[in-house]
Amino acid sequence: MRIALVSALAACSSAASAQPIEERAESAHSEPFYPSPWMNSKAIGWEDAYVKAKDFVSQLTLLEKVNLTTGVGWQSEQCVGQVGSIPRMGLRGLCLQDSPLGVRFADYVSAFPSGQTVAASFDRSLMYQRGKAMGQEHKDKGVNVLLGPSAGPLGRHPEGGRNWEGFAADPWLSGVGLAETVKGIQSTGVIACAKHYIVNEQEHFRQGGPNVSDAISSNVDDKTMHELYLWPFVDAVRAGVGSFMCSYNQINNSYGCQNSKLLNGILKSELGFQGFVMSDWAAQHSGVSSAVAGLDMTMPGDVAFNDGKSYWGANMTLAVINGTLPEYRLDDMAMRIMAAFFKMGNEIEQPPINFDSWTKDTQGPMHYYAKQGNQQINWHVNVQRDHRNLIRDVAAKSTVLLKNTKNALPLKSPKFLAVIGEDAGPSPKGPNGCADRGCNSGTLAMGWGSGTADFPYLITPLEALNAKTADEGTRLESVLDNYAWASTKALVSQADVTALVFVNADSGEGYITVDGNEGDRTNLTLWGSGDQLIKNVSSICNNTIVVIHSTGPTVVTEWYDSPNVTAILWAGLPGQESGRSIVDVLYGKVNPAARTPFTWGAKREDYGVDIIYKPNNGAGAPQQDFTEGVMIDYRYFDYKNITPIFEFGFGLSYTTFEYSDIKVEKSGAGKYKPTEGKTTEAPKFGNFSTDLNDYAFPSEKFSYVPYYIYPYLNNTSSAAEASQDPHYGKTAAEFLPPNAVASEAQPLAAAGPAASDEPGGNRQLWDVMQTVTATIKNTGSIVGEEVPQLYVSLGGPQDPPVQLRGFERIRIEPGQSAEFRATLTRRDLSNWDVASQNWVISEHAKTVHVGPSSRKLVLSAPLEF
Ligand code: BGC
């Protein structure tokens, strides 16, 4: 079966595979894809939602449909994003709110561990529970769409400012993180949003900048796109995600929110995504062009924040009336938005939004920017439930034990603990002292930017250690100033001391600069001279235990192998229960099992790629060529044979495990058939008047709020309204790309779902082809959890030496064994073939490996087909 497929495609695919990786970005282009696919009434999982949406949307006026697609403007309502309401039908404006780790800009909410942190748990259930708890809190505040989870950035650059908001520098693990989080969030009725689509890998120039004309272009070839960056987003679609956010950056010199190949072609045709695509905030750069390229909702609605103008709103109303934008496209936007809403089990009547993003005052202006509509805007509802227990558990179970010698850990009623470092204690400014956490002060428990929430409290490591040691009669003293060397020296040179050194490295979103770091880190060293602090302490104290809170790897080369550094823990960004969770691990209440979700290189250059910090294309858009192809993070280290300090997937336990007995069983999945057939014709729901007087602002009904984005026309004289438009007098066909407004049935993508399939892709990509089992034995004396990982070698010259394709976190009693079982799907074993635009299992010999990390692959077996 495989041979037939391969030979049929050999002519095209062999040419592609002969091309050296470094040259691949030359084939980085996004060819146009039109028209924008309309919803499919038969897509599995969406059928009921489709029926409800159709019933609702069919009753809407043109203005009401436009209102669903266009945000009301930055700070015009209570949420970071809000679309217009449809009062006639009883629908209030949908509320869109950050963030991927809790409810942003709200009080009485929980601050969860970051996505990257929970990824380190390698625990699907914890990922799901975290998503669900965040969904509940958003729901209880009146939020309809949670702006997360994130898989863009994926983590091409270790310095990437927002890597911590997502999961891992590996597509498979990120895909699991995204899917479980989506399922958790959506189980509460809140729509999740997979963001930022796509290759939004750095903060510098993401929106352009003072000296460049346009946002950075990530230039990525189609194969790399599919095998690496798209992968986790596919899992989100498959998990039923209701919305996507297109990114600020350009992809192959076409803006993320109007790149028809990525929105129409890949997301909506090939993946068959049925939900809606919203723009990142002010990431839209055109009106009708972005609409026909596949954008469904503009956020926050205004062109630039608070300019009172919109590419859509009134312009969209007019574009439909004058026939530039086909009615079916607007109908499809409204359908997608409402279908996502109904899919999550929502009723039209929604509970009120009980918080305000822009002030904590109880009373205030409903329309904050215009300072109008004074009333109660904050109800101060406590939505935390008992989530603190989950937060503590997730943070502890996500803490990676990177080194443990001389039985340094777990601690057993130590006589004397010296707690060293600013990162152990509180910030003098308080846990929420800097807006959007835009400073690095005190212990680090989340990064900065829109991916944050306000801490309801923050238990510092020092506080929790004090509580623990006081019960056990341990002497504990601390020095929280990284530069107070005399005091630190005096403490750590005393007899019987165990030094716990807390250090950190922070990063965040590019609109805030912290200590010279414009979102992306400027280097991979620890902040506050943390490396020097560790070297100083460990030069004196032979039992120095290091705890790192960070947004990614740091270069630990200068101190990690000192015999005096007896243990190293990476605690990620643990959220509000930071202190208690690290105490659980230090004292062995939780036996560590987490694994690092990225590689720790010996030096920055070892990663092979870097952020573009300075314009590299004159005054034009900076160009970032992804010439390394799929070789990022551990794939690159393996490919170039560079030894990392701690490899991807690495993490220790307080017990030990032994791996044996790998078995592979092939299953009889049938022959792969490219999808054939066509869509329906574009449906239209309802009709609309072409009398411009019907679209005037209804001043008799309510008064105009300044800067608010409305769907109404300012002027009902068509010529005056339209004459400003450079396209005035031209038909759509004259300035839109070919096929942009076509409404006939369109061919289905060969790699995409058939008419009655689940979104995500060709159904057969999820056929199980191989089942791998192995035996894991706990050879130590205490109960522990182990994370066996499955990697495959696909065998081709452009394939990473190994790539993750499975894992499980298994609890095993001492002396006992457990079976690890993982399945490999067709997708797991395929490469993307550019020529046939489909997945192909290559003829290269393939191997499967199982082990405790990406470089300790103790079991291997050939795969037979
Ligand atoms: C960020 C998004 C965020 C949005 C709304 C943007 O700047 O990139 O991640 O959801 O703002 O706050």
Side-chain angles (χ1 to χ4, degrees):
M1 167 269 306
R2 181 175 59 89
I3 291 166
L5 237 183
V6 168
S7 60
L9 300 164
C12 346
S13 55
S14 60
S17 61
Q19 189 185 4
I21 287 163
E22 286 72 15
E23 282 168 25
R24 263 228 239 104
E26 281 176 18
S27 60
H29 56 89
S30 296
E31 62 276 14
F33 189 105
Y34 296 97
S36 188
W38 35 91
M39 274 193 86
N40 167 15
S41 64
K42 296 199 208 125
I44 292 184
W46 290 80
E47 309 99 308
D48 293 349
Y50 186 96
V51 172
K52 289 184 182 153
K54 181 177 169 189
D55 177 48
F56 185 79
V57 172
S58 303
Q59 300 177 55
L60 300 186
T61 65
L62 175 55
L63 289 168
E64 287 167 338
K65 288 178 204 169
V66 170
N67 231 15
L68 275 180
T69 68
T70 305
V72 294
W74 181 242
Q75 297 183 323
S76 281
E77 293 279 359
Q78 291 154 284
C79 302
V80 296
Q82 217 161 308
V83 292
S85 58
I86 307 184
R88 189 179 64 87
M89 303 288 289
L91 182 70
R92 68 152 170 78
L94 300 179
C95 165
L96 287 62
Q97 192 71 10
D98 296 301
S99 78
L101 62 60
V103 189
R104 184 185 181 204
F105 291 150
D107 52 12
Y108 304 97
V109 298
S110 306
F112 290 83
S114 71
Q116 187 185 51
T117 306
V118 73
S121 73
F122 279 70
D123 186 322
R124 287 176 177 80
S125 159
L126 290 181
M127 295 173 192
Y128 176 85
Q129 291 176 54
R130 173 181 169 276
K132 180 172 173 192
M134 294 194 304
Q136 286 169 331
E137 296 200 8
H138 279 83
K139 181 85 186 165
D140 290 350
K141 287 281 180 187
V143 174
N144 302 102
V145 184
L146 188 165
L147 301 174
S150 166
L154 185 68
R156 179 181 191 252
H157 318 110
E159 304 85 0
R162 301 183 75 179
N163 293 353
W164 57 276
E165 290 186 51
F167 295 92
D170 172 85
W172 209 91
L173 176 55
S174 289
V176 172
L178 219 61
E180 294 300 330
T181 308
V182 164
K183 286 189 246 171
I185 291 169
Q186 296 193 160
S187 72
T188 68
V190 171
I191 303 169
C193 173
K195 71 183 189 184
H196 307 86
Y197 183 74
I198 194 169
V199 283
N200 185 176
E201 293 294 317
Q202 66 167 58
E203 292 304 290
H204 282 76
F205 309 114
R206 69 171 185 161
Q207 289 174 281
N211 301 316
V212 296
S213 63
D214 280 284
I216 189 166
S217 178
S218 296
N219 303 325
V220 188
D221 65 89
D222 195 33
K223 179 172 155 70
T224 301
M225 186 63 86
H226 279 85
E227 293 183 7
L228 186 61
Y229 297 100
L230 182 69
W231 187 285
F233 287 109
V234 175
D235 290 325
V237 172
R238 184 99 178 147
V241 73
S243 71
F244 261 61
M245 186 190 292
C246 48
S247 56
Y248 285 123
N249 55 291
Q250 303 191 74
I251 302 104
N252 302 331
N253 288 294
S254 169
Y255 272 105
C257 293
Q258 60 188 53
N259 186 315
S260 64
K261 166 74 181 176
L262 282 156
L263 299 180
N264 288 341
I266 294 184
L267 182 56
K268 290 184 175 177
S269 174
E270 185 186 316
L271 305 187
F273 173 58
Q274 300 295 311
F276 63 97
V277 179
M278 72 180 80
S279 68
D280 199 343
W281 269 232
Q284 190 188 18
H285 295 271
S286 63
V288 172
S289 304
S290 58
V292 294
L295 184 68
D296 301 302
M297 183 187 277
T298 173
M299 275 295 145
D302 28 25
V303 171
F305 286 8
N306 306 127
D307 67 359
K309 298 179 186 145
S310 182
Y311 287 116
W312 286 1
N315 282 318
M316 172 94 93
T317 305
L318 202 58
V320 175
I321 299 170
N322 72 19
T324 312
L325 183 69
E327 182 194 356
Y328 80 76
R329 182 71 270 267
L330 174 63
D331 287 353
D332 184 56
M333 294 177 191
M335 280 294 291
R336 287 171 176 275
I337 294 164
M338 292 313 296
F341 175 86
F342 288 122
K343 185 180 193 304
M344 311 309 152
N346 288 302
E347 307 279 337
I348 287 297
E349 191 176 333
Q350 283 292 295
I353 300 159
N354 59 34
F355 74 104
D356 190 277
S357 300
W358 321 114
T359 172
K360 296 274 190 313
D361 294 348
T362 304
Q363 292 281 129
M366 179 57 85
H367 311 299
Y368 184 81
Y369 191 72
K371 297 277 173 282
Q372 287 194 3
N374 208 48
Q375 61 187 79
Q376 181 166 0
I377 48 174
N378 273 306
W379 276 259
H380 315 291
V381 182
N382 187 344
V383 298
Q384 299 171 85
R385 306 184 185 202
D386 58 356
H387 293 159
R388 61 185 173 280
N389 298 327
L390 174 67
I391 290 170
R392 175 176 178 173
D393 197 37
V394 170
K397 290 186 174 156
S398 303
T399 299
V400 185
L401 180 62
L402 293 169
K403 178 177 180 180
N404 191 18
T405 55
K406 303 182 194 161
N407 289 323
L409 292 177
L411 298 174
K412 293 166 210 82
S413 302
K415 194 170 175 191
F416 173 25
L417 279 184
V419 178
I420 308 297
E422 181 183 327
D423 184 70
S427 164
K429 299 172 185 163
N432 301 314
C434 303
D436 285 336
R437 310 297 79 75
C439 60
N440 191 30
S441 173
T443 196
L444 179 67
M446 72 176 72
W448 74 75
S450 66
T452 53
D454 284 358
F455 289 104
Y457 58 80
L458 172 52
I459 297 184
T460 66
L462 179 59
E463 199 179 336
L465 281 163
N466 260 321
K468 174 78 182 169
T469 53
D471 284 343
E472 298 186 350
T474 295
R475 174 184 162 205
L476 182 153
E477 288 189 49
S478 60
V479 179
L480 299 183
D481 180 341
N482 286 12
Y483 301 97
W485 178 234
S487 320
T488 300
K489 186 175 178 189
L491 207 57
V492 300
S493 39
Q494 295 178 34
D496 298 327
V497 67
T498 300
L500 285 175
V501 185
F502 286 84
V503 288
N504 67 39
D506 202 356
S507 72
E509 195 173 345
Y511 67 88
I512 299 175
T513 298
V514 178
D515 207 4
N517 297 267
E518 297 170 30
D520 306 312
R521 284 187 279 167
T522 55
N523 55 47
L524 294 181
T525 56
L526 291 167
W527 289 33
S529 302
D531 297 291
Q532 193 57 47
L533 182 66
I534 296 166
K535 284 193 277 181
N536 288 350
V537 172
S538 60
S539 70
I540 295 173
C541 171
N542 66 6
N543 191 11
T544 302
I545 296 169
V546 175
V547 178
I548 303 172
H549 289 119
S550 74
T551 56
T554 68
V555 170
V556 299
T557 313
E558 290 181 6
W559 51 263
Y560 83 100
D561 59 351
S562 155
N564 286 353
V565 174
T566 50
I568 306 173
L569 290 151
W570 180 71
L573 300 172
Q576 69 191 47
E577 288 282 335
S578 173
R580 278 202 276 239
S581 58
I582 197 68
V583 165
D584 288 346
V585 176
L586 289 169
Y587 281 80
K589 185 175 163 211
V590 169
N591 185 354
R595 301 299 210 261
T596 172
F598 45 74
T599 300
W600 300 66
K603 52 185 190 306
R604 178 180 189 160
E605 297 70 37
D606 286 355
Y607 292 88
V609 287
D610 213 328
I611 302 279
I612 290 184
Y613 293 96
K614 296 257 176 323
N616 68 352
N617 184 29
Q623 301 291 311
Q624 177 78 282
D625 293 330
F626 286 45
T627 45
E628 73 289 348
V630 299
M631 308 295 182
I632 65 163
D633 199 76
Y634 71 91
R635 299 152 170 247
Y636 183 79
F637 280 74
D638 293 348
Y639 177 65
K640 292 278 180 184
N641 216 356
I642 301 167
T643 306
I645 290 182
F646 304 118
E647 72 272 18
F648 175 89
F650 174 74
L652 301 167
S653 161
Y654 297 149
T655 183
T656 48
F657 298 94
E658 211 174 74
Y659 286 59
S660 63
D661 204 17
I662 187 168
K663 290 202 185 81
V664 184
E665 203 180 309
K666 105 178 182 197
S667 25
K671 181 173 155 57
Y672 183 66
K673 290 193 213 76
T675 297
E676 289 171 358
K678 284 192 160 190
T679 67
T680 59
E681 280 175 24
K684 285 188 227 159
F685 304 104
N687 46 39
F688 61 93
S689 140
T690 50
D691 178 353
L692 293 191
N693 293 311
D694 293 340
Y695 299 94
F697 188 88
S699 38
E700 68 291 353
K701 287 202 196 135
F702 52 88
S703 50
Y704 179 85
V705 177
Y707 308 102
Y708 207 93
I709 305 299
Y710 295 102
Y712 307 107
L713 307 185
N714 305 337
N715 188 319
T716 50
S717 141
S718 124
E721 186 70 33
S723 60
Q724 301 301 316
D725 188 331
H727 303 303
Y728 182 57
K730 291 187 184 160
T731 63
E734 285 177 280
F735 72 92
L736 290 176
N739 261 338
V741 297
S743 62
E744 327 62 84
Q746 299 292 316
L748 295 171
S756 312
D757 276 348
E758 214 177 319
N762 188 314
R763 161 166 39 95
Q764 291 167 291
L765 293 170
W766 282 270
D767 288 345
V768 170
M769 303 205 71
Q770 309 274 347
T771 301
V772 181
T773 54
T775 302
I776 320 292
K777 183 175 184 190
N778 182 342
T779 49
S781 55
I782 58 167
V783 62
E785 293 177 359
E786 175 64 347
V787 181
Q789 296 155 51
L790 181 154
Y791 292 79
V792 293
S793 307
L794 295 184
Q798 295 193 357
D799 290 320
V802 297
Q803 43 187 325
L804 184 71
R805 285 292 189 256
F807 62 80
E808 209 62 61
R809 181 159 171 152
I810 313 175
R811 185 183 159 90
I812 313 176
E813 298 291 329
Q816 300 296 303
S817 295
E819 187 191 65
F820 166 61
R821 170 179 288 265
T823 53
L824 288 167
T825 63
R826 189 188 306 271
R827 176 185 181 228
D828 288 328
L829 297 170
S830 295
N831 287 101
W832 180 251
D833 181 73
V834 177
S836 65
Q837 289 288 291
N838 216 329
W839 294 95
V840 172
I841 295 180
S842 74
E843 72 276 22
H844 301 290
K846 306 195 187 321
T847 318
V848 63
H849 313 270
V850 174
S853 84
S854 65
R855 286 201 168 211
K856 294 195 182 57
L857 298 172
V858 289
L859 307 175
S860 294
L863 284 175
E864 275 153 29
F865 290 85

